[in-house]
Structure formats: C-alpha cells, structure tokens
Amino acid sequence: MANNTALVAANQPQQQTMNKPAASGKHGNVLPLWGNEKTMNLNPMILTNVLSSPYFKVQLYELKTYHEVVDEIYFKVTHIEPWEKGSRKTAGQTGMCGGVRGVGTGGIVSTAFCLLYKLFTLKLTRKQVMGLITHTDSPYIRALGFMYIRYTQPPADLVDWFDAFLDDEEELDVKAGGGCVMTIGEMLRSFLTKLEWFSTLFPRIPVPVQKAIDQQMKSRPRKVPQNDGQEQLQEEASRQAVHRRSRTPRRTPSPRRSPKRSRSRSHHREGRGPASFDRELERERDRQRKERDAGHRGDRGDKDRRRSLSPDRRRSRSRDRRRSHSPSRDKKNDRREREREGESDRSRRKDRDHHKDRDRSWSFEMRLSSYFSPRPNPPVALR
C-alpha cells in the first residue's frame, strides 16, 4: 500500500505538469476562446443574418466534420467581405447607423461568414487552425483561418499567430464582386492595425496591446522580394528610355566624331540657343505670311470666277442649291408658294368682283338716266 501511495504521489506532479499547457491552451492542442463563447464576437446584425440564412440552416447543417467544411470553403468562397455585392444599401446613413457598424439595415450575408461561424461551432483545435492557415489549395481557406484567429484568440497572442505570415506574397481578392486584390501579408497587417473590415468591426484590442503591436509593425516594415525589386528597376529604366526616345529623335553617332567632341558641340549649340530660336521664329513667320498671301490669292480667284459666271449659270446654280436643300425646307418653300398663289387668286377674284359691281352700277345708272331724260318732241309736219 505504501508503495502504491508513493507511486500515485510521484505520478500526480507529472500529470499536473502535462495538464498545465492544455489548461493554458498556449502549447496544447485545445484552443481557448477569447470573449463571447456564443457569438464569436461577431457583429449582432451579421450574426442574426447568419443564423437566419437558409444556406447556414439547411446546407451547412449537413456538414459535420472539419474536412467537409474545408471542402465547402474551397468550392464556394470567392471573397471574404461580410455582405454579398449589392445586397446592402448604406447610402445616407451616418453615426451609429453607418456602414461600418452594420446597424440599421441588413443584407444577404456572405458565404464566407456563414462558413466562418460554422467553423466556430466545430470548436477547432490548434492543429486544425494551423491546417487552415497553412493550406495550399486555396488562399480563401487560409484567409478564413486567419479571420477565425482574429475573432476568437486573445489580442496579446495575435502577433505570435501572424508573425510568420506577415511577408506572405500569396494574393487573393477580398472584395465582393472583385477589385481589391491584396496579399496575405497585407491582409494580416490590416487585421492587426485596423479595427474596420469593409462594413463590420473586429473585436477591439486593448490600448497597451495595440501600442505594442503598432511598434512591432513599424520596426518590421514590409519586405520587398529581390526579384520584384530588380523587375521594378528594369521597368523604370525601360520607361525612362521610352520617355527619352519620345522626346528627341534618336541620332546615329557619326564615326568621325568622338563622344567628347559631340558633347562639346552640343554644349556650344545650347549656348547659341537664343539666336537659333530667333531664326526659327523668322522662318515660321515667313511661312505663315506666304500661306496667308496664297489664301488671299485663292479668295480673289474665287471672286473673279463668281463674277465671270453668266446669269443663266447663276440661275442653274441657285436651282441646284434649292434642290439640295433638306426636305423640311422644301416643304416650307412649297407651303409659302401655295400661300402666295392663294393670295394672288384672292386678289384676282376681288378685282373681278369689283369690276362686275362697277359694270352693274354703270348699266343701272345708264338705265335711270335714259328713263328720266326728256324725250325729244316729234317733228312737226309743215304745210
């Protein structure tokens, strides 16, 4: 019995030392959760839309294992924004109802956030989270793993999780509908230094921890790969060469001239700059004067030609111009001609009626005068 009690007493410290990392969760496989263990520290509006989403309630309910969820991320996730494109309108909202806080108006929650909360319901282990952030099949699997860490892990441990991936150059498009391509390293730096992520907020980081993170980010600037640096230098050199070519035409150097001589000549040529400029200016003025004189002569010739045209030709030209008018103008001209003809017909009728009335009145007067005039006496016969 004494031996057994001694063995038990000897084994108890070993068990305690083995259980300590698991309890702390820093080096064991059990991953502790920080903050709210029911909401995953998500925005209430996003969480409400996730829980009421048919995709989460029906399709994701059938997924029971970690590997099934990873396969679903591979096939379905195309961005990591909380809302689908065009499903949420925040125009004109300010303050607490603004687009950042996610309060006021919801939308269609994205597949990425539904799957993120599904991962939370599985209570991932440290090994599973490491499998997410080091996955080689899709950058979106890695992005959701890093986002899971940002939402569920203590702020003091975030740098330890992200430190090895701050210079990762794998690219992904994080915006719904495309148009915001960034690397994994840039995304992680944004997770550590900014509270906003599109139209939602990450859990707040305490001020002392945030100051320490900012100092570490400043002391560790983003590394530029050597190949990229060489490519940038080559691009700048080619751009400058193209710019020089476009500004001045390339001249083939003469075999008789040495570089020093050509350089000195160009220097002297630059020294005589104002005189050559004056000569060029005089030539340009002469050229413009000649063009003006030629234009005046051409105008005079046109005027003489117009004067020399015969009247018949002028009439034919005017007819051609009338014919070349637009249909609407021809209609207007026809209408005017009809109106003129109608007015002339009316004036003729008036003149005709006036003449008829005058003839009638004259004949009537003649009749009256013949009726009232004394009749001549009959001749007297002489005896």
Side-chain angles (χ1 to χ4, degrees):
M1 289 290 293
N3 292 333
N4 291 334
T5 54
L7 288 170
V8 169
N11 289 331
Q12 277 180 355
Q14 291 179 0
Q15 288 177 359
Q16 286 178 0
T17 54
M18 288 175 67
N19 291 332
K20 273 182 183 177
S24 65
K26 196 168 183 181
H27 300 291
N29 198 27
V30 177
L31 198 62
L33 296 176
W34 178 79
N36 195 321
E37 296 184 358
K38 292 182 179 179
T39 64
M40 201 185 97
N41 305 315
L42 279 172
N43 182 283
M45 178 64 71
I46 294 176
L47 182 61
T48 304
N49 280 269
V50 167
L51 295 175
S52 62
S53 170
Y55 176 68
F56 180 80
K57 291 192 294 185
V58 179
Q59 294 179 348
L60 295 187
Y61 180 77
E62 298 174 357
L63 305 180
K64 302 297 181 184
T65 64
Y66 162 79
H67 295 288
E68 289 176 346
V69 177
V70 170
D71 291 340
E72 187 74 8
I73 295 171
Y74 178 80
F75 287 111
K76 293 294 177 67
V77 176
T78 57
H79 65 89
I80 51 174
E81 197 175 338
W83 306 100
E84 293 295 341
K85 183 183 177 183
S87 65
R88 187 162 182 267
K89 296 178 181 178
T90 56
Q93 296 180 5
T94 56
M96 286 295 292
C97 294
V100 171
R101 295 187 176 272
V103 179
T105 56
I108 300 172
V109 71
S110 66
T111 308
F113 270 70
C114 290
L115 286 161
L116 180 65
Y117 192 73
K118 180 65 180 180
L119 289 172
F120 176 74
T121 60
L122 297 177
K123 305 299 179 188
L124 300 181
T125 62
R126 183 177 294 274
K127 184 178 179 182
Q128 288 172 338
V129 173
M130 287 300 295
L132 286 175
I133 63 178
T134 57
H135 211 283
T136 57
D137 290 347
S138 172
Y140 295 104
I141 298 174
R142 301 182 66 196
L144 285 185
F146 288 120
M147 196 169 282
Y148 181 87
I149 293 169
R150 181 64 180 85
Y151 272 106
T152 62
Q153 293 306 295
D157 297 342
L158 293 177
V159 176
D160 295 334
W161 279 102
F162 295 164
D163 187 56
F165 306 97
L166 290 175
D167 298 319
D168 198 309
E169 294 295 323
E170 187 174 8
E171 292 184 346
L172 74 162
D173 198 337
V174 296
K175 188 176 180 182
C180 185
V181 178
M182 62 171 62
T183 62
I184 294 288
E186 291 170 351
M187 184 185 70
L188 295 183
R189 288 173 187 270
S190 176
F191 285 0
L192 290 172
T193 57
K194 293 180 182 178
L195 195 64
E196 297 87 4
W197 179 254
F198 289 97
S199 57
T200 188
L201 293 174
F202 286 127
R204 291 185 180 276
I205 299 174
V207 174
V209 178
Q210 186 65 60
K211 286 182 179 178
I213 290 172
D214 292 339
Q215 288 178 359
Q216 288 184 11
M217 291 299 105
K218 287 178 183 177
S219 64
R220 186 178 173 178
R222 183 174 175 270
K223 293 180 182 178
V224 179
Q226 294 181 357
N227 294 332
D228 292 349
Q230 291 177 0
E231 288 176 0
Q232 287 178 359
L233 291 174
Q234 289 176 0
E235 286 178 2
E236 288 178 2
S238 62
R239 215 178 290 131
Q240 289 176 1
V242 169
H243 187 56
R244 286 196 206 105
R245 258 184 249 135
S246 63
R247 286 178 65 185
T248 56
R250 189 176 179 181
R251 295 179 182 175
T252 55
S254 174
R256 295 178 185 176
R257 290 182 186 175
S258 64
K260 294 179 182 178
R261 191 174 179 185
S262 63
R263 216 175 284 134
S264 63
R265 286 201 174 188
S266 65
H267 178 69
H268 291 312
R269 205 179 291 122
E270 288 174 1
R272 293 198 304 266
S276 62
F277 176 74
D278 293 338
R279 282 199 297 275
E280 291 291 332
L281 190 61
E282 287 295 329
R283 285 178 197 159
E284 184 64 24
R285 284 176 182 166
D286 293 338
R287 186 179 62 77
Q288 289 179 359
R289 204 179 296 119
K290 287 176 184 176
E291 288 179 356
R292 213 179 296 123
D293 296 340
H296 286 312
R297 284 175 201 151
D299 294 340
R300 285 175 195 163
D302 292 339
K303 287 178 183 176
D304 295 338
R305 272 189 230 110
R306 284 176 199 153
R307 284 173 193 160
S308 63
L309 287 175
S310 62
D312 297 335
R313 200 160 180 186
R314 283 181 195 163
R315 281 177 207 144
S316 64
R317 281 200 174 185
S318 63
R319 281 177 202 153
D320 293 339
R321 281 179 197 153
R322 284 175 195 162
R323 284 173 192 162
S324 64
H325 285 170
S326 61
S328 60
R329 199 175 289 176
D330 292 339
K331 288 178 183 178
K332 287 180 183 176
N333 294 334
D334 294 340
R335 201 182 304 130
R336 284 174 190 163
E337 288 177 1
R338 278 192 232 108
E339 288 174 358
R340 284 178 198 149
E341 289 175 0
E343 287 176 2
S344 60
D345 291 340
R346 280 190 221 106
S347 61
R348 280 191 214 120
R349 282 179 204 147
K350 284 180 183 178
D351 293 340
R352 206 180 302 128
D353 295 339
H354 179 66
H355 287 307
K356 283 181 183 178
D357 293 339
R358 194 174 61 185
D359 293 340
R360 282 179 199 148
S361 61
W362 184 77
S363 61
F364 184 68
E365 287 175 1
M366 288 297 293
R367 274 193 228 121
L368 284 176
S369 62
S370 63
Y371 182 75
F372 286 106
S373 61
R375 291 180 182 175
N377 293 326
V380 180
L382 297 174
R383 290 181 183 175

